[in-house]
Amino acid sequence: MKIVKTITEMQELVQSYKQDGKSVGFVPTMGYLHEGHLSLMNKARSENDILVVSIFVNPLQFGPNEDFDRYPRDFDRDEALAKNASVDIIFYPDVKEMYPKEMAMTIHVQQGIDVLCGRSRPGHFDGVATVVLKLFNIVMPTNVYFGMKDAQQVAVITQLIENFNLPINLVPCDTLREEDGLAKSSRNVYLSSEERKQASAIYQSLQKSIERIKTGERNPLVIREFITSYLTDYTDGMIDYAEILSYPELKEIEHLNGNIIIAIALKFEKARLIDNVTLTVES
Ligand code: PAF
């Protein structure tokens, strides 16, 4: 496994792989790797000749009061995990390498950011889209892997690829779940044992919503109402949002039709949990 710290070396390496007709799979991360990242790497490993993982904590996607300096970093641990996952290259630039001078322009995401988690993080997705575009131009991947747990990020990157005609295939990867359906998250450890039992209601409410849609319900307000009462009845959590939107545009809809997302954020005492499902509805 190679550790590459400069953009020039990364581009030269990838160009030589491409000349040899090899496919390049890419998993962009901010490091501090966990089970979710490892499952993306395993999928990417099985589908590509070369596997590149980037580790870069991107200052552009943190707001002024967010935790850029405190964001957890442990390169030695990440390196061991990546080696174990048969990664070929870790692209590990520093901030000076990625942003040698003030950027004269950045990407401004105009759609799908005033909903879900984007509503409370102004500018976050501009920073994500900007760094991801840079990373795509540096790693030039054939296939790129993102987890659907962060569906809003997947939606933004899907639109980035489409809007700028990037020759890259995005592979959305299923959310990893516990046996009772709770989405795996490092935040689950902050749940009390009672909250942990209740938390499976999030996925249950999503599954029951799908059943209702399958049996003919097409009014998003009815589904929203159902989720709200289900979570109120079965948990002590506070609902941050329960939204039904078009996907990947993330626009409000009056009638369920086409590709949609049902997304929930529920706040327990020490943990805010998110989950979602995407589906295609025939009118
Ligand atoms: O999901 C992340 O870890 C980051 O938002 C990403 C895609 C690596 C961009 O910095």
Side-chain angles (χ1 to χ4, degrees), residues 27 34-45 145 173-176:
V27 180
H34 53 66
E35 245 180 330
H37 294 121
L38 296 178
S39 80
L40 301 182
M41 289 178 198
N42 287 338
K43 187 160 171 62
R45 177 71 283 169
Y145 295 78
C173 300
D174 289 345
T175 301
L176 288 189

Side-chain angles (χ1 to χ4, degrees), residues 29-34 37 55-58 62 67-75 77-78 92 186-187 190:
T29 83
M30 298 209 294
Y32 216 69
L33 304 177
H34 53 66
H37 294 121
I55 295 181
F56 178 64
V57 184
N58 170 38
F62 289 79
D67 55 348
F68 173 71
D69 289 328
R70 283 184 295 115
Y71 194 85
R73 294 160 169 90
D74 187 345
F75 184 73
R77 184 176 155 277
D78 287 347
Y92 182 48
S186 32
R187 295 198 175 86
Y190 299 125

Side-chain angles (χ1 to χ4, degrees), residues 40 50 64 66 75-76 85 111 123 133 161 167 190 205 214 233 254-256 269 282:
L40 301 182
I50 302 291
E66 293 182 355
F75 184 73
D76 292 343
Q111 220 183 56
L133 181 59
I161 290 174
Y190 299 125
S205 71
K214 281 192 178 150
D233 289 349
E254 285 173 7
H255 180 81
L256 299 180
E269 202 174 326
E282 283 166 21

Side-chain angles (χ1 to χ4, degrees), residues 28-30 37 54 56 58 61 71 124 128 131-132 135 146 150 153:
T29 83
M30 298 209 294
H37 294 121
S54 64
F56 178 64
N58 170 38
Q61 70 191 73
Y71 194 85
H124 168 71
V128 170
V131 80
V132 167
L135 288 168
F146 284 96
D150 195 347
Q153 173 163 277

Side-chain angles (χ1 to χ4, degrees), residues 26-30 54 56 58 60-61 91 98-99 103 107 109 124-141 144-146 153-154 156-161 164 166 168 170:
F26 179 38
V27 180
T29 83
M30 298 209 294
S54 64
F56 178 64
N58 170 38
L60 247 57
Q61 70 191 73
F91 178 53
M98 288 295 279
Y99 302 113
M103 297 278 279
I107 300 274
V109 183
H124 168 71
F125 285 110
D126 291 356
V128 170
T130 302
V131 80
V132 167
L133 181 59
K134 281 171 75 73
L135 288 168
F136 283 173
N137 284 325
I138 296 164
V139 177
M140 296 177 263
V144 64
Y145 295 78
F146 284 96
Q153 173 163 277
V154 177
V156 166
I157 307 302
T158 302
Q159 306 274 54
L160 177 81
I161 290 174
F164 292 97
L166 307 176
I168 295 170
L170 188 151

